[in-house]
Amino acid sequence: MKKILITGTNSYVGKSFRNWMQSDPDKYEIDSISLRDGTWNEKDLSSYDSILHVAGIAHVSSDPKMEELYYKVNRDLTIEVGEKAKAAGVKQFIFLSSIIVYGDSSSRKRVIDKNTVPAPSNFYGNSKLQAEEGIKPLECDEFKVVIIRPPMIYGKGSKGNYPKLAKVAQKLPFFPDIDNQRSMLHIDNLCEFIRLMIENDESGLYFPQNSEYVNTSVMVKLIAEAHGKKIRLTKMFNPFLNLIGLQSRLINKVFGNLVYDMKISTYKENYQIRDLGESIKLTEMEIGKR
């Protein structure tokens, strides 16, 4: 039996992963801990095989007053937990980073491959990248470090842009028909990927994503259909969106392009167990089970 500690008791990924692993209670023992105060530092980590570090600030903020907190939580705390885990004899440390280390989406086609150099455009992305750079030197034969850079994560109960689009899909009769591509990752695919990282004692840098790219307009239509609603995709708004797209961060966030080359997201075992259509139905209809 492998014993796993999740940092971040209220984390969406942490809670989802714990639920995902409950189907194998004889193989995995899962604990979780909050890092909100200093009491976590008193916890004995020596009995754990793996630590899944998902505690952190997950949303992007442009408020300069938040910058110091981002680095304190996303970078410094990650390194501190990693150092404590290694000193305690933990065998594996898994850190959830983000595609945001490569910067924002673009109005033009943008494909990230193995040679793409990270270039954060905000302190959220930079804090994640510096956390990666801080834990890499800890790695050795006895302490394996896994860094995961997922794209947008979605699923039942997720936060961020997906639930906002889901609300729009249920209300609007029309939606812009834009030809864009995004890498996304359903929570079940991510949880299965993390399980494989633990099961196979992996180390290294990984880029999991769904087996297909997502077009925002198509996704909105699928969400509407999952609720028995019809939404018409139209190019009527495209000239206006194209005109303001370069100046609007919001437009680029919704309709921009940002994908991983599929080649860097392959793994020796299949983790992409949900395709887009199924994942939307599971997310919207509350029937997702392993």
Side-chain angles (χ1 to χ4, degrees):
M1 176 180 285
K2 290 196 174 185
K3 193 171 181 182
I4 304 160
L5 177 67
I6 301 170
T7 66
T9 53
N10 295 318
S11 159
Y12 173 66
V13 172
K15 290 190 291 186
S16 299
F17 180 70
R18 184 166 190 161
N19 291 336
W20 186 254
M21 301 294 274
Q22 285 179 349
S23 61
D24 290 317
D26 297 329
K27 291 185 66 176
Y28 307 103
E29 180 182 342
I30 314 290
D31 293 332
S32 60
I33 186 174
S34 173
L35 304 185
R36 288 186 177 275
D37 57 46
T39 58
W40 71 269
N41 219 351
E42 301 171 7
K43 186 174 179 62
D44 181 8
L45 305 181
S46 61
S47 64
Y48 294 102
D49 298 292
S50 299
I51 290 181
L52 173 59
H53 182 65
V54 292
I57 305 175
H59 62 279
V60 177
S61 172
S62 57
D63 184 354
K65 295 179 181 178
M66 293 287 292
E67 183 170 1
E68 183 178 353
L69 183 61
Y70 271 78
Y71 286 108
K72 181 178 179 180
V73 175
N74 288 350
R75 178 192 63 193
D76 300 345
L77 190 59
T78 298
I79 298 171
E80 190 176 351
V81 175
E83 290 174 341
K84 180 176 173 63
K86 181 176 182 178
V90 176
K91 300 180 181 66
Q92 184 188 49
F93 187 79
I94 302 173
F95 173 56
L96 199 72
S97 185
S98 172
I99 194 174
I100 201 68
V101 301
Y102 294 103
D104 297 325
S105 55
S106 169
S107 58
R108 296 178 299 228
K109 299 294 183 184
R110 186 174 178 213
V111 181
I112 296 167
D113 61 26
K114 63 180 181 179
N115 297 315
T116 304
V117 177
S121 59
N122 52 54
F123 46 78
Y124 169 60
N126 199 38
S127 67
K128 285 288 191 180
L129 183 59
Q130 289 189 21
E132 292 182 17
E133 294 170 346
I135 60 175
K136 283 179 183 176
L138 299 176
E139 185 166 23
C140 62
D141 291 341
E142 294 76 30
F143 187 69
K144 296 182 177 181
V145 175
V146 174
I147 296 172
I148 301 174
R149 291 177 180 168
M152 183 198 296
I153 299 166
Y154 68 102
K156 193 65 189 178
S158 63
K159 299 179 180 179
N161 291 328
Y162 179 90
K164 295 176 183 177
L165 285 172
K167 289 182 179 179
V168 167
Q170 297 175 58
K171 294 179 179 180
L172 295 182
F174 302 97
F175 193 79
D177 186 1
I178 301 291
D179 181 23
N180 74 319
Q181 287 185 327
R182 301 296 294 259
S183 286
M184 292 180 63
L185 184 60
H186 185 257
I187 188 63
D188 288 356
N189 292 340
L190 174 58
C191 288
E192 178 62 9
F193 185 80
I194 295 172
R195 185 191 72 82
L196 290 172
M197 294 293 100
I198 295 171
E199 182 67 21
N200 297 330
D201 298 314
E202 293 287 9
S203 64
L205 177 61
Y206 296 90
F207 313 87
Q209 64 176 321
N210 287 350
S211 60
E212 60 210 295
Y213 296 141
V214 176
N215 173 278
T216 302
S217 303
V218 172
M219 183 181 69
V220 167
K221 187 174 182 180
L222 288 172
I223 294 172
E225 291 173 351
H227 290 275
K229 299 181 180 297
K230 290 185 178 181
I231 190 168
R232 179 186 169 192
L233 301 182
T234 175
K235 296 185 181 296
M236 181 193 317
F237 307 106
N238 289 25
F240 173 72
L241 292 173
N242 290 332
L243 180 64
I244 68 171
L246 294 176
Q247 289 78 35
S248 172
R249 184 176 179 181
L250 176 61
I251 297 300
N252 270 329
K253 185 176 288 188
V254 176
F255 295 108
N257 296 274
L258 186 63
V259 302
Y260 282 134
D261 185 335
M262 285 292 178
K263 294 177 183 177
I264 67 174
S265 297
T266 58
Y267 184 64
K268 61 186 177 183
E269 295 184 54
N270 180 42
Y271 66 89
Q272 296 163 327
I273 58 175
R274 312 288 191 210
D275 62 24
L276 179 62
E278 181 188 14
S279 72
I280 295 298
K281 291 178 182 177
L282 292 172
T283 300
E284 298 303 315
M285 305 306 290
E286 298 186 350
I287 58 173
K289 291 185 179 179
R290 185 177 174 185

